Amino acid sequence: MATMPTTAQYLREIDRLPDGGPARAAPIDTGPLVGLWRNANHQTWGITAVELTDRDGQVWAHAWATDPHADRLRDWGEVPVDGVYALSPASGDVCAYRATFELGHARTQIQANMLHNVMVCGAFTTFTDGSGRTDYFSREFLHRCGPQALTEAADPLGAVPERGYARGEDRLPMLRAPIVPDRLHTRWRNTDAGTKGVSEVSLSARDGRTYLRVTAAGPDGPIDWGDVPVSLYTDISVTGGGRAAAEPVVDGRTTPHFADVSATDGGPALYATFDHGFMRVHMQARFNIGILPFVMFNEFLDDSGRQDYFQREVFVR
């Protein structure tokens, strides 16, 4: 297997430019992101709404969340986004963004992408308060409401007497269960045999951590990216998608409420970053009924003119 040095100008075939470049893509048009986006699930215990604005070329994200123990929404405040991403290295059409919120007791990074005019909003929460809760991943689907502002009353997190909870999901008992990544530890191949992106990933355990190795499709054969440690997250979306009191009663037993489930029945989600000097790739995945979908936020750090872009690939064992 050929190993591509980190000074190479591409990590996979899809990153190459016609005739070697440079790229002449128009600036990314952030207009389709701007406005208020609301959760399609009105019973969510998580992110309720996100408002995106573009001021002087900088996109800002403002988020609100729901806590059933509170009468008002939790206001997370506004932050500059970490990045916006196009459909491809030569596209000016916006497709995704990342934004990080420091919540006092935890850090939540929203990694969102657009699909059929819906914002698929993945959120990776890392606890920083020593509470013993496991870091977790949640996923919400938001729809665009246009330019109007949020009308519900909300409390800034700094004004909330009870610290340690930015939304109801922070209270879930399943966050006390350990993360078991065993079902991830194997070789995964892309369902698209002709991909020009990542052809194969492998996850393995070493020194008490899980490592991700990536093999990509190159013009002269496979390109080995090496491996990096991953961060693991309890995936609460596989168990509590309904976020509602469960009905009906089955065999005389009431189905447990989302808030009472002590452990998930799915594999964990993961997040990893490959930094190759000229390019950085943020990769996230969640085990989903036997498949491992990866989404990638690709950032160019060189002067090639290529756009940062979003990509999705699906893998099976």
Side-chain angles (χ1 to χ4, degrees):
M1 179 181 294
T3 299
M4 183 61 63
T6 58
T7 55
Q9 293 305 301
Y10 55 88
L11 291 174
R12 63 214 134 169
E13 183 71 15
I14 196 174
D15 296 334
R16 301 182 74 200
L17 295 169
D19 303 318
R24 293 180 172 83
I28 296 177
D29 176 14
T30 61
L33 288 181
V34 171
L36 180 68
W37 297 77
R38 300 203 63 132
N39 199 322
N41 177 15
H42 296 172
Q43 296 171 315
T44 182
W45 283 25
I47 295 170
T48 305
V50 175
E51 185 177 28
L52 294 159
T53 57
D54 189 333
R55 300 196 296 270
D56 300 322
Q58 172 65 58
V59 178
W60 295 76
H62 193 153
W64 295 264
T66 297
D67 184 347
H69 289 242
D71 296 330
R72 295 151 63 99
L73 295 179
R74 303 296 200 199
D75 185 345
W76 289 10
E78 185 182 56
V79 299
V81 302
D82 301 323
V84 294
Y85 302 84
L87 287 169
S88 74
S91 172
D93 296 324
V94 71
C95 182
Y97 71 92
R98 294 187 305 117
T100 303
F101 292 84
E102 297 290 346
L103 305 174
H105 68 291
R107 178 185 306 110
T108 292
Q109 182 177 114
I110 292 177
Q111 299 183 358
N113 67 91
M114 314 303 297
L115 184 66
H116 304 303
N117 294 317
V118 171
M119 181 182 291
V120 183
C121 187
F124 288 85
T125 294
T126 303
F127 289 103
T128 57
D129 61 352
S131 61
R133 290 172 286 185
T134 59
D135 303 334
Y136 71 97
F137 170 81
S138 61
R139 190 171 67 152
E140 309 280 5
F141 298 91
L142 280 63
H143 61 94
R144 195 168 187 269
C145 296
Q148 74 262 36
L150 193 76
T151 57
E152 293 96 320
D155 291 320
L157 290 180
V160 176
E162 187 182 18
R163 303 299 171 88
Y165 305 99
R167 58 195 186 276
E169 293 168 343
D170 289 348
R171 303 177 183 273
L172 295 176
M174 68 180 73
L175 301 181
R176 302 293 179 180
I179 295 175
V180 181
D182 294 4
R183 68 179 68 187
L184 298 178
H185 292 163
T186 189
R187 172 188 171 211
W188 300 80
R189 70 181 191 281
N190 199 318
T191 55
D192 178 8
T195 183
K196 294 184 177 180
V198 173
S199 55
E200 181 181 304
V201 299
S202 295
L203 288 150
S204 59
R206 188 168 77 244
D207 301 325
R209 295 203 64 177
T210 294
Y211 282 77
L212 170 67
R213 177 175 289 276
V214 168
T215 304
D220 302 314
I223 300 176
D224 184 357
W225 291 12
D227 65 7
V228 296
V230 307
S231 297
L232 297 171
Y233 298 80
T234 295
D235 183 359
I236 68 170
S237 63
V238 298
T239 301
R243 308 295 203 278
E247 297 274 348
V249 173
V250 178
D251 295 331
R253 296 177 300 166
T254 303
T255 306
H257 187 278
F258 172 58
D260 298 325
V261 177
S262 59
T264 68
D265 54 4
L270 64 91
Y271 178 53
T273 298
F274 284 86
D275 193 333
H276 290 263
F278 75 97
M279 186 179 186
R280 184 181 301 122
V281 182
H282 304 282
M283 301 180 65
Q284 58 140 295
R286 58 185 295 267
F287 183 81
N288 187 12
I289 318 177
I291 65 172
L292 192 64
F294 267 90
V295 298
M296 296 167 235
F297 296 80
N298 305 283
E299 300 170 351
F300 292 100
L301 309 176
D302 58 10
D303 57 358
S304 65
R306 291 172 289 187
Q307 299 283 26
D308 298 343
Y309 73 99
F310 172 83
Q311 183 188 20
R312 180 186 291 105
E313 307 226 49
V314 178
F315 298 81
V316 294
R317 288 173 282 196

